[in-house]
Amino acid sequence: MSLSLMHRLVLIPLTTQYRYWNCYPGARVDLEVPQYQFSAAETWSQWDWKQRYPGRDELVAYFEHITKVWSLHSDIDFNTKVESAHWDKDMSQWRVTAQATQPQSYRSRFLCLCTGFAAKPFMPPYPGLDSFKGTIHHTSHWPQEKVDLTNKRIGVIGTGASGVQAIQELGKVAARLTVFQRTPNNAIPIRNPTLDEKQNQTLRENFVESRKQQLTTFGGFLYDFVQGKTTDLPDAERLAVYEKLWSGGGLQFQLGNYIDMMFDPAANAVAYQFWRGKTLPRIKDAKKAEILAPRNPPHPFGTKRISLELDYFETFNQPNVELVNLLEAPIVQMMPEGIQTSDGVVHELDTLVMATGFDAITGGMTQIDLRGASGQPISEKWQNGVYTYLGMTVHDFPNMFFVYGPQAPTAFSAGPVSVEFQADWIVDCLKHIVTNNLTTINATAEAEIDYKAHVNEIGGRGLFHQAKSWYFGANVPGKPREALLYMAGLPAYKEICLDSSRQAYRGFEFK
Ligand code: NA7
């Protein structure tokens, strides 16, 4: 990315107080290196990974390394919370206000939001939440000064990626850990070896080839869906493929599997039963086993984000770990001493961990008072559904771009790969504006409407929409149910974006 162009943008970093975010016990990326890595040679030629799936501290060190090699410190105001960004029609500029140690204001010609897809935590509004006498921590806002939970009675609500990671660690220290599960997580073994110097050397030697391969696959991963019909294959052949994917660990059991698994309920059921067959023997108690890995899948396999685990299922074999099935006995209220479920039981707790996720994908943008040319806040514009063009721009918000957000591959892709594509596209667009002496770019309302229809048409294919997931806004009460991501894969997405730029930025108006 050209830094000379970036100087004219206001950068809203993914996390403003990045050290404070997502530092809950066990936090780890669920995509292995080198896939989870930037591609510029200066970023990887001098970098060694300690683990295949780096933990949070290693990731913080990596991003500090990136900031250093790209000399970004002087371009970023850290610990600065952006509160508003308004388009000033008369000046054709963005006016941005922010809160740091004191109020800040900025003016810029362009605005690029890098607010990420998991920036606004979601807290279920339980009655009596304030009455709880113990401490409450949402996983995303875990205190930096590590909380000592040794010998505490800990409750965890939520068994998504954050819940799975935290539960594995908290089970090791808690006097009693009570896990409140609504939907079982079809988690897959992570297989996370440490990487030595020689393995790092090999990663570097192969980096360019690996990245080339990533650019061709559905999600920007090193593996891709296999063409073929699961149910037509002889059992032995299918099993051999499944075993190979399973032993490789990570998301390849989903993203390297037969593609019909995501479209055909029968194929999907075969994959689910294979997962269940692998998982059940790890859980000793039959009742817990049926709650964690039920006979009937809670949703088609893989249609909610699959998490990666190390010893998640064995954690429930520990005598100090209790599992509450919220589908049988939902939470009724919080009380001073803990949580009451509908069966009348009060689960006494010292600490409650809310692993309840995010107002995902759109929340990072809608929580900012962001107003375009007409003065309408983006939260109002998106009240009944999200509208973007190419998942990077919004009509009526001139000279504003965003990456890794709604209606783009985002959570359906390897982050660094899709973000690099979007950043390059945006930089090329800025060059086009500057070299042609243009003042503003604005997506047309028609282009936005057509693009939304396309995104939703894709989202309606296959089995994904059958799950109540944050991919469709279903985890936040009142949020419109619609496809929030571009689900046809990175290559198709790239083609649509490049098609617009090649045709003199079809779908945009310039002034
Ligand atoms: P997720 O994946 O959204 O998980 C949130 C969990 O919290 C999930 O198990 C939810 O159950 C549960 N939840 C949410 N609200 C409630 C209520 N009201 N009662 C009970 N349980 C509830 O968030 P994560 O932080 O784990 O992961 C987010 C992504 O960030 C992750 O996939 C990575 O890509 C990075 P539900 O499934 O809705 O029944």
Side-chain angles (χ1 to χ4, degrees):
M1 181 180 297
S2 153
L3 282 176
S4 56
L5 274 168
M6 290 303 293
H7 277 296
R8 291 178 221 149
L9 298 168
V10 168
L11 287 172
I12 300 178
L14 178 69
T15 53
T16 46
Q17 291 186 310
Y18 68 104
R19 282 176 174 281
Y20 285 84
W21 283 48
N22 293 304
C23 54
Y24 59 88
R28 185 176 299 286
V29 65
D30 58 9
L31 174 60
E32 62 267 50
V33 296
Q35 301 175 73
Y36 189 76
Q37 209 168 341
F38 290 117
S39 66
E42 66 273 20
T43 63
W44 53 262
S45 56
Q46 304 281 323
W47 180 258
D48 274 347
W49 292 107
K50 295 192 183 76
Q51 284 190 303
R52 187 177 175 212
Y53 293 88
R56 179 199 161 269
D57 290 349
E58 193 176 358
L59 290 174
V60 170
Y62 174 67
F63 286 112
E64 276 171 354
H65 163 74
I66 296 295
T67 312
K68 200 163 150 206
V69 291
W70 281 341
S71 306
L72 291 174
H73 265 112
S74 55
D75 290 318
I76 300 176
D77 287 353
F78 289 100
N79 299 324
T80 302
K81 184 168 187 232
V82 171
E83 289 180 333
S84 72
H86 295 180
W87 177 250
D88 180 334
K89 272 193 281 196
D90 299 332
M91 302 291 287
S92 291
Q93 281 182 343
W94 282 97
R95 283 187 286 114
V96 177
T97 65
Q99 196 59 46
T101 42
Q102 53 189 1
Q104 303 285 336
S105 61
Y106 307 81
R107 277 181 172 273
S108 72
R109 188 173 163 194
F110 300 103
L111 178 70
C112 187
L113 296 141
C114 309
T115 41
F117 78 78
K120 185 181 174 193
F122 170 67
M123 291 278 265
Y126 294 123
L129 198 60
D130 292 342
S131 71
F132 179 54
K133 288 260 170 39
T135 48
I136 301 181
H137 300 297
H138 191 283
T139 46
S140 76
H141 283 133
W142 199 265
Q144 164 102 54
E145 342 38 74
K146 303 210 163 46
V147 199
D148 184 9
L149 294 176
T150 313
N151 291 327
K152 300 276 191 233
R153 297 168 304 170
I154 308 169
V156 177
I157 303 180
T159 53
S162 310
V164 164
Q165 292 181 337
I167 287 162
Q168 291 174 151
E169 298 308 313
L170 295 172
K172 295 180 175 78
V173 299
R176 198 178 67 230
L177 175 65
T178 310
V179 175
F180 297 88
Q181 175 193 286
R182 189 163 64 185
T183 306
N185 193 320
N186 303 154
I188 287 181
I190 188 167
R191 312 210 195 283
N192 191 19
T194 52
L195 300 173
D196 61 21
E197 212 180 303
K198 192 155 166 267
Q199 287 162 314
N200 269 289
Q201 187 54 32
T202 310
L203 285 180
R204 278 192 289 269
E205 282 165 13
N206 296 335
F207 189 92
V208 173
E209 274 312 305
S210 306
R211 187 48 59 102
K212 263 193 212 155
Q213 190 182 333
Q214 280 181 260
L215 292 174
T216 65
T217 63
F218 177 92
F221 298 89
L222 276 173
Y223 30 83
D224 209 355
F225 289 116
V226 185
Q227 299 303 322
K229 211 162 170 335
T230 307
T231 42
D232 283 353
L233 293 166
D235 285 354
E237 196 179 315
R238 186 180 58 246
L239 262 179
V241 174
Y242 274 19
E243 289 290 353
K244 188 158 177 276
L245 293 170
W246 189 262
S247 62
L251 296 172
Q252 53 187 304
F253 183 72
Q254 178 183 22
L255 300 169
N257 215 320
Y258 295 101
I259 195 162
D260 63 345
M261 174 178 139
M262 300 323 304
F263 291 90
D264 175 8
N268 190 278
V270 174
Y272 179 77
Q273 291 308 334
F274 179 86
W275 171 83
R276 186 166 186 259
K278 290 283 186 194
T279 306
L280 282 181
R282 299 172 58 188
I283 311 160
K284 286 189 188 146
D285 179 273
K287 193 159 176 266
K288 281 182 179 171
E290 185 52 31
I291 298 171
L292 291 163
R295 179 173 302 277
N296 297 320
H299 44 262
F301 186 72
T303 53
K304 280 184 106 150
R305 177 92 172 194
I306 286 183
S307 304
L308 302 186
E309 56 81 34
L310 194 64
D311 53 5
Y312 177 65
F313 295 106
E314 285 79 5
T315 302
F316 293 92
N317 297 334
Q318 296 176 200
N320 65 332
V321 179
E322 191 190 346
L323 178 60
V324 177
N325 184 1
L326 296 182
L327 296 178
E328 274 174 12
I331 292 172
V332 174
Q333 61 172 334
M334 294 287 299
M335 304 178 75
E337 55 274 61
I339 292 180
Q340 185 180 37
T341 41
S342 67
D343 51 8
V345 177
V346 177
H347 304 269
E348 293 189 5
L349 305 169
D350 302 312
T351 297
L352 175 60
V353 176
M354 302 293 260
T356 44
F358 300 87
D359 177 356
I361 309 169
T362 51
M365 287 169 72
T366 54
Q367 69 182 344
I368 298 172
D369 175 12
L370 195 57
R371 293 170 196 241
S374 67
Q376 186 186 34
I378 202 151
S379 53
E380 204 178 289
K381 171 165 173 146
W382 287 356
Q383 206 166 20
N384 298 316
V386 66
Y387 284 85
T388 80
Y389 181 46
L390 304 180
M392 284 189 279
T393 60
V394 182
H395 168 67
D396 189 44
F397 290 74
N399 290 8
M400 185 188 90
F401 302 88
F402 61 89
V403 293
Y404 213 54
Q407 298 187 340
T410 312
F412 259 45
S413 65
V417 181
S418 59
V419 166
E420 282 189 350
F421 168 76
Q422 291 185 314
D424 286 346
W425 191 94
I426 291 168
V427 168
D428 284 346
C429 180
L430 296 180
K431 283 180 182 161
H432 175 84
I433 294 168
V434 172
T435 52
N436 290 290
N437 289 321
L438 303 165
T439 308
T440 58
I441 179 172
N442 191 8
T444 66
E446 299 74 38
E448 200 176 56
I449 288 165
D450 288 350
Y451 185 69
K452 181 185 176 76
H454 177 57
V455 169
N456 276 308
E457 185 273 315
I458 295 164
R461 297 177 197 164
L463 303 173
F464 277 102
H465 61 97
Q466 293 185 16
K468 266 183 89 183
S469 78
W470 51 260
Y471 296 151
F472 289 84
N475 65 321
V476 174
K479 196 165 169 173
R481 281 291 273 279
E482 58 178 344
L484 291 173
L485 299 167
Y486 184 87
M487 297 180 173
L490 257 177
Y493 172 74
K494 287 196 296 203
E495 206 35 57
I496 287 189
C497 298
L498 293 174
D499 191 49
S500 161
S501 52
R502 281 189 211 115
Q503 295 187 48
Y505 292 92
R506 188 172 37 79
F508 291 99
E509 284 170 345
F510 292 93
K511 281 191 185 149

